[in-house]
Amino acid sequence: QSCHQPAGQRARQEPGSGGLPEGVEYIPTRKKGKNPMKPVGVAWYSLYARTRLGYLFYQRQVKKARERYPHGHSVPQPYCFPGVKILPIPVLSNNYSYLVIDTGSGQAAVIDPSDPLAVQAAIEEEGVMLEAIFCTHKHWDHSGGNEALCQKHNSCRVYGSALDAIPQLTNPLADREKVSVGCLTFEALATPGHTVGHMVYVLDGAPFGSPPCLFSGDLLFLAGCGRPFEGSPETMLASLDVAMGLGEDTLLWPGHEYALECLTFASLLELDNSALEQKLQWAVQQRQEKRSTCPSTLGEEQTYNPFLRTHRPELQEALGLWQGTGEDPDAFRARVLKEVRRRKDLYQAT
């Protein structure tokens, strides 16, 4: 695979590049890839997250995805900086695992290895040694490959939060704790909400002359965010604020390919957002060619992701919400986030 070499100090895909051909009108569609959590209710979520039935369902997901997408659901583009390579691995029907390689030592880490066969194939193709698995949370579509990979790689350690029942966890991490893999340094950030122990991982790009890289799991997607299965709107808002404190040039590597669905939904909220319209046209082109939409940047996300725009008057007005007299600003933002989430869930259900 050829490597995308970011220009200058910033690796990003311009939101408006490769839009629709002149004269072609885009008509939003609600046809989406299958989401294992779509039919979720309290009972279903408990079964999926806490019982063997959830694991059996995950195994069925893996089998069907391998048959339907023998080469992955998307065409990924590896990103290279001097000394580091990031390889997105499309797995299941819309997940991403990420193989992050210290090209000097050949040591590597993987984030959220959903399908162990796909991850192992990438490891063998790259000729690297797997030293670490970083799990963002316990859900099987992010942790299901842990056991098989640990059996294959004896020195591999599994990192994550002790608050989540992560399979094969060997090294529980605390908030802000750092882990080194070769010359790579990852920082774990506690971001509860989707699950009580959800964590994201930030690769320090400074030694390689690159921006930081955020592997966000199910906290943050391109134009979207995860559902707060185990947290309140206030908890989710605080976790999103943690991510947004990383800086606008931070590269966002999400856990799912949800860009087209999320951008289409966002376009129904903000009809006059030019950045959103431009990004949507770009995403349509990417997905028509089955190309990955990763990564974006946190700076980009602030211009069109409604879950990161709870402070914006134009979004508040579109939702018909106004801050009450004496209402705490963050409490109001949590109320805005709750309404955006409610509308997104209704949109998914149609």
Side-chain angles (χ1 to χ4, degrees), residues 12 14-17 19-20 26 28 221-224 258-285 299-307 309 314-315 318 340 344:
R12 60 179 293 175
E14 294 301 328
S17 62
L20 292 176
Y26 169 61
F221 310 128
L222 194 153
Y258 289 159
L260 193 53
E261 174 189 330
C262 291
L263 286 163
T264 303
F265 166 73
S267 71
L268 302 177
L269 297 181
E270 293 193 69
L271 302 179
D272 298 319
N273 186 326
S274 59
L276 173 55
E277 180 181 359
Q278 192 176 34
K279 189 71 174 183
L280 176 56
Q281 289 183 342
W282 173 82
V284 169
Q285 182 80 17
E300 282 185 74
E301 291 298 313
Q302 291 180 75
T303 67
Y304 52 66
N305 188 329
F307 296 95
R309 293 171 60 78
E314 54 266 45
L315 178 62
V340 175
K344 180 64 165 63

Side-chain angles (χ1 to χ4, degrees), residues 285-298:
Q285 182 80 17
Q286 290 291 102
R287 297 313 297 152
Q288 284 177 343
E289 299 172 0
K290 300 298 183 184
R291 292 189 176 276
S292 170
T293 58
C294 305
S296 64
T297 69
L298 294 186

